[in-house]
Amino acid sequence: MQTIPVLFLLILSVLLPVQNVTIKSPDGKTGFNLINKNDILAYSAYSYNKPVIGESPLIMTIDGIKITEGVKTGSVKKEYISEQYPVYGYHSTAVNECNAARIECRHISSGIRFSLEIRVFNDGFAFRFVVPGKESMPRVPDEATEFVFPSGSNVWYHNLRMHYEGEYTRMLIDTIPEGQWAAPPVTVKLPGGAGYAAVTEANLVDYPGMALQTTGNNGFRVRIGHSHPVSYPYELRYSKEDIERVTKPAIINGNITTPWRVVLAGKDLNTLVNSDIITNLCPPPDKKIFPGGLYTQWIRPGRAVWRYLDGGGDNSLKNMKEFSRVASELGFEYNILENFWSKWPEDSIRALVDYSRKLNVGIIVWKHSKELRDPAERIEFFDRLATLGISGIKVDFFDHEAKEVIDLYESIFRECADRKLLLILHGANKPTGLQRTWPNVLIYEAVRGMEASRLEDRATHQTFLPFTRMLAGAADYSVCHFGDRRRNTTWANQVATAAIYCAPVITYAANPFNIISNPCAEMIRSIPPVWDETIVLPPSEPGVIAIFAQRKGEVWHLSVINGKKTVSVRIPFSFLGNGKFKMITLKDNPDNPASVITENKTVSQSDTMEIALTEGGGYTGRFIPVR
């Protein structure tokens, strides 16, 4: 499917001066209120007539001048945007429908002119600042806009100690002290049954990344790259000179366009999980680089085997050929090689690539991002990989959101796209929707995944992720381990994560020999990397339980991952279409978490099922139409 611009209605209005402006979503249920009180800008927002954001200051500075105080607002330009475009993830078609406004502003004392751009969707809103400038005029931007949530809200977030690889905590907004760091997305359960919200950013280019810091007054404040605490991974891998440089404010020449500050909002978790706002706010792919858009021939979603966490023999050419062979037997599309590949002679690399290509398995190789800083060396490396027939690169250890790191991301995206190289990003920041612009960017890590060997309560952690980190985009968790690394989760739980943690590429933690010999192998084979439709079912709740019904073609999967509390859930099959379905299931064995119970029967949409879940338990069911 190609990008389809359906309708652009442009309505111009000049209101001098503007004091307050309300922009509503197309369905009228969500609204953004711009407030100009005593020449100071603020905003608030609501959904279904209930507050999502209380009155919060909009704060933007240029060279230390707070341009959002002592400001006059001018003309308002409004438009309606409607389009659809293809995506890989929880559904196959994204919907971009919103009402937008551009409000011209002038800082009175300095004369600085800027605009505030706002877009309001049925499931949330976004805003950004645009400050025109000349290329010859370097300036330093900063922000401190706040997001004030209603009293009684519950919030899930983690700090920046491990960059974006933290463990989530649930807090009552009223009790959070000032000064705590939070890595977006920050997810919020609003009080009084008002639903959920999440704060993050979109279209992060030519600017430092955003983290959040608590205000001590029921809110979070925007903090950009230079002010972030240096993470442990960055301290570990980079020099004092690097640390000193990334903690200096970024200088920007020419126009300053901030990333979109995004708030997802909806009555339920299904709304947040299926929101397209973050990719909607990013440009479509360049047809000169991606002639088929998302469906450009060399961009192929798939599943990957990986020799790292689960053994599986040595790093020899012979063994890596075996990894590719078994990957092919499983129907997997990729074989990821850690850094050992760089010590191989070139003829061995070619031999593996050629052998694997005949099996329809692509080779992806690891690289430290520090070794890609020099543009000439980077281009030489990418050219070499393209000549060798490598499918893609797993680039690691970015570990910061300073502007220089964000600029490196974009250079890598563009240069790899020019050479038809796919990308997996590790040691990375959260995704900001740029996988729409750069469909060769398959997945970001930015998650405390299966590599975290000391994570004891994996059950609770895994039920946080679909409703926190993964709201920003797919996370390379490295799913499905059958050994001790799975901690307090069952085999059935591990298989279910492969479906719930869907992505354009899914890396399996278990080595392929352990997958193919496991009783779960047939179910694993049947789980696609991406879906046509996803429905998050009740009683899903962050940190408690995740229940997903997902469709690919005519086949449905039902997947459940449970937290620490033993529960029994009753699930109606109303998500199924008409007719009968053959149901094939994997469920927990209460006597042995390292085993599964299988069951086959015929069901229809009028049926329901009671599922008993142990601590860290899981369930996976496949529903195939009966003809």
Side-chain angles (χ1 to χ4, degrees), residues 176-291:
I176 304 174
E178 182 180 5
Q180 292 191 2
W181 287 94
V186 168
T187 301
V188 181
K189 186 175 185 179
L190 301 166
Y196 294 83
V199 181
T200 189
E201 66 179 331
N203 198 29
L204 171 57
V205 293
D206 195 31
Y207 201 82
M210 178 190 81
L212 298 168
Q213 194 171 25
T214 57
T215 65
N217 188 29
N218 289 15
F220 291 83
R221 179 180 294 118
V222 173
R223 301 293 304 275
I224 62 175
H226 68 273
S227 59
H228 299 179
V230 175
S231 68
Y232 170 73
Y234 197 88
E235 285 182 320
L236 182 67
R237 298 176 181 121
Y238 291 87
S239 68
K240 291 181 179 179
E241 291 75 20
D242 291 323
I243 292 171
E244 182 180 355
R245 192 177 62 254
V246 297
T247 51
K248 291 181 179 178
I251 298 171
I252 296 178
N253 294 303
N255 293 342
I256 296 172
T257 302
T258 73
W260 292 95
R261 306 319 180 193
V262 179
V263 177
L264 311 180
K267 282 188 170 182
D268 53 30
L269 291 169
N270 182 61
T271 302
L272 267 60
V273 167
N274 280 291
S275 177
D276 296 312
I277 290 178
I278 297 169
T279 50
N280 288 345
L281 295 165
C282 295
D286 185 338
K287 289 299 181 67
K288 293 179 181 177
I289 304 173
F290 305 101

Side-chain angles (χ1 to χ4, degrees), residues 332-573:
F332 287 12
E333 292 81 4
Y334 296 105
N335 181 1
I336 297 174
L337 276 58
E338 287 298 305
N339 196 42
F340 62 80
W341 77 275
S342 64
K343 302 175 178 63
W344 283 11
E346 195 156 292
D347 60 346
S348 293
I349 300 170
R350 287 185 183 277
L352 178 62
V353 169
D354 292 345
Y355 173 83
S356 301
R357 184 186 294 117
K358 293 174 183 176
L359 299 171
N360 206 29
V361 174
I363 299 299
I364 296 174
V365 297
W366 184 93
K367 187 71 170 176
H368 197 310
S369 63
K370 186 162 58 176
E371 298 171 6
L372 299 177
R373 287 182 174 183
D374 182 271
E377 292 178 5
R378 189 170 64 237
I379 293 298
E380 182 181 2
F381 175 70
F382 293 159
D383 283 342
R384 177 182 172 231
L385 295 189
T387 301
L388 288 168
I390 297 291
S391 295
I393 318 170
K394 181 178 179 178
V395 187
D396 208 344
F397 302 145
F398 293 92
D399 298 328
H400 206 283
E401 287 188 288
K403 182 178 179 295
E404 69 171 54
V405 181
I406 303 305
D407 291 344
L408 176 60
Y409 278 114
E410 189 163 16
S411 296
I412 292 171
F413 296 171
R414 183 179 303 278
E415 292 158 7
C416 284
D418 288 341
R419 290 156 182 82
K420 301 181 179 179
L421 291 168
L422 303 171
L423 285 163
I424 296 172
L425 305 171
H426 266 229
N429 69 325
K430 78 281 186 189
T432 63
L434 291 170
Q435 58 270 35
R436 181 186 182 190
T437 309
W438 302 102
N440 61 316
V441 180
L442 298 181
I443 193 168
Y444 292 64
E445 183 187 29
V447 69
R448 191 162 180 80
M450 195 62 74
E451 289 187 65
S453 60
R454 296 180 183 178
L455 180 56
E456 294 297 330
D457 185 9
R458 196 169 288 279
T460 301
H461 180 69
Q462 290 185 165
T463 58
F464 281 131
L465 299 180
F467 312 119
T468 52
R469 159 64 184 85
M470 292 176 186
L471 296 179
D476 196 9
Y477 185 84
S478 307
V479 301
C480 208
H481 198 290
F482 298 114
D484 290 341
R485 189 176 284 266
R486 63 184 166 78
R487 292 298 190 264
N488 61 336
T489 66
T490 66
W491 278 10
N493 178 296
Q494 288 295 305
V495 175
T497 61
I500 293 175
Y501 296 178
C502 69
V505 65
I506 297 177
T507 301
Y508 276 75
N511 76 60
F513 313 113
N514 284 343
I515 295 174
I516 207 161
S517 63
N518 191 283
C520 303
E522 189 54 40
M523 183 66 78
I524 289 171
R525 280 190 177 99
S526 75
I527 297 174
V530 293
W531 302 90
D532 294 328
E533 181 182 358
T534 294
I535 305 169
V536 181
L537 300 174
S540 295
E541 179 78 359
V544 180
I545 192 170
I547 307 172
F548 281 48
Q550 296 167 284
R551 180 181 59 83
K552 186 70 173 178
E554 294 184 307
V555 177
W556 283 89
H557 280 70
L558 177 65
S559 302
V560 184
I561 54 176
N562 187 41
K564 289 188 74 173
K565 185 178 179 181
T566 299
V567 296
S568 182
V569 293
R570 191 169 184 82
I571 301 175
F573 292 159

